[in-house]
Amino acid sequence: AWVRDPVRTSRPAAQGIALDQAQRLTQRFTKGWGPEAPRVVLARNSDELRQAAGIAAGADVGNRAEGTWNGQPAVFLNLSAIDSSARFRQVLAHEALGHYGVDKAVGEDWGALEAAIGRHVREGSGSSSVRAAIAHVHRSQPAALDDPGAAAREVLAVDAEQGARSGLLDRVVA
């Protein structure tokens, strides 16, 4: 459940954004969040990301992983892989809304949403933003599309990250 931009993975690692800048951005982007919001954990590099999120050392996260969520009431961001304020906001949206928030928001309707996304994955259907999100997941994490729950979470997370408006995302935030 990590964000990795498939276009940028072949480029040299960016310097990333500074910790103090990331702290200011976190305050700015989360100031309106309620008490059920996830904690935002800022890691300076992929090693810190693995350690903070409890990811096994041998897991294929890669040095360019921008963020992850692992079921905790927290999202984890790798500052060395995020190169701008705009990208920071996108990755935060991906992890907080797309992963952490989807479980909180959907509740008992999750099965129907998961089935709808599975149908879109199999049939290549859905809105243009949903098809684009599926294509992104196919490029960045193809194995996620083999598991209906993982596919639904990743497609919704990419939709949220890209600021898309789709019927699927509307069902989550309606």
Side-chain angles (χ1 to χ4, degrees):
W2 59 86
V3 180
R4 180 175 55 192
D5 185 335
V7 174
R8 296 181 337 147
T9 54
S10 62
R11 296 182 188 165
Q15 284 294 97
I17 61 174
L19 181 60
D20 62 335
Q21 179 185 7
Q23 290 168 332
R24 286 190 306 273
L25 291 170
T26 300
Q27 289 175 338
R28 184 170 125 204
F29 296 141
T30 63
K31 67 182 170 192
W33 288 8
E36 294 295 315
R39 184 172 51 95
V40 179
V41 178
L42 304 172
R44 290 176 293 183
N45 55 51
S46 59
D47 290 335
E48 283 187 9
L49 179 75
R50 281 185 183 92
Q51 183 178 7
I55 299 170
D60 182 25
V61 173
N63 292 334
R64 298 294 302 146
E66 296 173 298
T68 192
W69 173 78
N70 64 0
Q72 298 178 28
V75 296
F76 304 87
L77 304 182
N78 176 7
L79 303 181
S80 69
I82 300 171
D83 58 7
S84 69
S85 299
R87 187 64 187 153
F88 182 92
R89 186 173 192 239
Q90 292 170 335
V91 174
L92 182 60
H94 177 106
E95 300 301 341
L97 175 61
H99 287 301
Y100 175 82
V102 75
D103 293 316
K104 298 280 187 201
V106 176
E108 63 188 41
D109 294 332
W110 178 251
L113 190 56
E114 185 178 85
I117 293 173
R119 185 179 68 255
H120 292 316
V121 169
R122 286 188 309 279
E123 298 173 0
S125 60
S127 68
S128 60
S129 66
V130 169
R131 290 191 314 273
I134 291 168
H136 180 93
V137 173
H138 180 73
R139 289 187 307 271
S140 64
Q141 297 183 55
L145 296 176
D146 296 336
D147 174 87
R153 283 180 177 81
E154 285 302 322
V155 168
L156 288 170
V158 169
D159 243 9
E161 170 188 348
Q162 296 174 349
R165 291 293 305 196
S166 69
L168 292 173
L169 199 54
D170 287 345
R171 288 168 65 179
V172 174
V173 295

